[in-house]
Amino acid sequence: NKHPPRGERILPEESYHQIGRASMGDEYRDKMQRYRDMLKHVRAGFLQEGLNESVENATRLSVFDFDETIAFTEGFIIVKDSNTGEEFQINSQEEYDKLRADGGYEFDFSPLDQVHNPVENPHITAIMRDRIADPNTQVMVLTARAPVSIDDVHMTLQMFDQPIETENIIMIGNEGGNKGEYIRDVLLSKYDNIKEVEFYDDSESNIIDMQAVKTETSDTGRIQKFDIYRVTEGIPKKVD
């Protein structure tokens, strides 16, 4: 089933809570701007330095996608046909996955530099809160957005009705890169203490990429438990 465009998504009020219940209004935009002004001098290297110790002490890595997983958002990606030069917009994960698999397209993620009208997905944030409370788990948000968007992702989580503190969360924007390879090459290759991995994402292509890393690390015995969850309409379902 194809997801409806993000701008047209209808969510039941009893299931999802709009941030501050004013995500479309001036009050919300003013709050976001104040947070941006406050964080604009923060450097990623400074944040990462304080995270090394928590990663080294963890035995489980819990990785969450942002859009359509942690939160439902509005936005689009600009696509350019490499052969014809034609540009057009897409606003669903399925469209992006298909074009990425087909090849021959360039993707501009800059329209996603800021988070627009986020709506919390409590089915995922409940899991996040549980993992954050576990001293043996390192929580990570790995998004296809560009690194410049990470401040907004921090702010979004902190502005939920029940704020999620992000101080000890690793947040990475890999701008459409292979998430499986990122986890393998940047984290698993460095931190031998990580024995369990769980991954939540709504993208079929990201699921496939992570399954390849699961097979590789499981065959070598590097990872003892590797659980992958496909998030469909906000609901996580374990992938075999």
Side-chain angles (χ1 to χ4, degrees):
N1 294 330
K2 185 177 179 61
H3 289 194
R6 289 170 182 153
E8 298 178 15
R9 185 180 299 282
I10 300 174
L11 301 171
E13 184 176 354
E14 66 272 20
S15 297
Y16 306 117
H17 306 285
Q18 289 192 359
I19 297 173
R21 302 193 185 283
S23 64
M24 297 288 286
D26 293 337
E27 180 182 355
Y28 170 77
R29 286 190 290 270
D30 289 345
K31 284 182 179 180
M32 289 294 281
Q33 187 57 54
R34 287 197 297 271
Y35 272 110
R36 289 189 188 104
D37 292 342
M38 178 181 68
L39 293 175
K40 64 182 178 181
H41 298 300
V42 174
R43 293 292 180 264
F46 173 79
L47 292 174
Q48 188 62 47
E49 182 179 353
L51 288 170
N52 288 338
E53 183 177 352
S54 61
V55 178
E56 291 170 352
N57 292 331
T59 57
R60 176 172 60 181
L61 178 67
S62 296
V63 185
F64 299 86
D65 176 43
F66 179 67
D67 296 285
E68 312 302 294
T69 300
I70 294 173
F72 297 98
T73 59
E74 296 179 3
F76 61 90
I77 300 170
I78 300 172
V79 183
K80 180 178 180 180
D81 188 312
S82 300
N83 295 319
T84 67
E86 176 191 4
E87 290 190 355
F88 54 96
Q89 298 177 2
I90 58 174
N91 60 4
S92 75
Q93 185 67 53
E94 288 86 350
E95 290 174 299
Y96 171 71
D97 287 347
K98 183 179 185 305
L99 294 177
R100 180 187 172 197
D102 290 345
Y105 296 94
E106 301 172 18
F107 301 97
D108 178 1
F109 292 88
S110 62
L112 300 178
D113 285 352
Q114 295 182 352
V115 177
H116 296 286
N117 301 327
V119 178
E120 180 180 359
N121 177 10
H123 300 291
I124 294 297
T125 55
I127 299 171
M128 284 190 70
R129 290 184 176 95
D130 178 77
R131 301 303 187 259
I132 291 170
D134 181 1
N136 297 316
T137 298
Q138 175 63 60
V139 174
M140 178 180 191
V141 175
L142 182 58
T143 173
R145 291 171 179 257
V148 71
S149 70
I150 292 303
D151 280 354
D152 266 25
V153 176
H154 274 281
M155 291 181 277
T156 297
L157 269 62
Q158 293 168 8
M159 292 177 69
F160 286 150
D161 285 346
Q162 297 180 32
I164 295 178
E165 293 302 323
T166 61
E167 179 180 359
N168 294 318
I169 299 177
I170 299 176
M171 293 205 183
I172 300 295
N174 74 336
E175 204 160 8
N178 185 309
K179 291 187 178 183
E181 292 180 355
Y182 185 92
I183 293 298
R184 181 194 64 197
D185 298 341
V186 177
L187 286 170
L188 299 185
S189 65
K190 181 177 181 181
Y191 298 101
D192 292 337
N193 50 289
I194 299 294
K195 301 300 182 184
E196 299 181 16
V197 177
E198 60 178 357
F199 178 71
Y200 298 83
D201 203 299
D202 68 300
S203 165
E204 180 64 25
S205 64
N206 290 337
I207 295 295
I208 292 172
D209 290 342
M210 198 62 67
Q211 285 177 313
V213 174
K214 174 182 178 177
T215 299
E216 176 184 332
T217 55
S218 298
D219 288 346
T220 62
R222 168 67 183 84
I223 298 298
Q224 298 172 359
K225 185 178 181 182
F226 204 132
D227 293 333
I228 299 175
Y229 296 85
R230 172 80 184 271
V231 180
T232 303
E233 296 299 327
I235 308 295
K237 182 177 181 181
K238 190 174 179 179
V239 177
D240 294 331

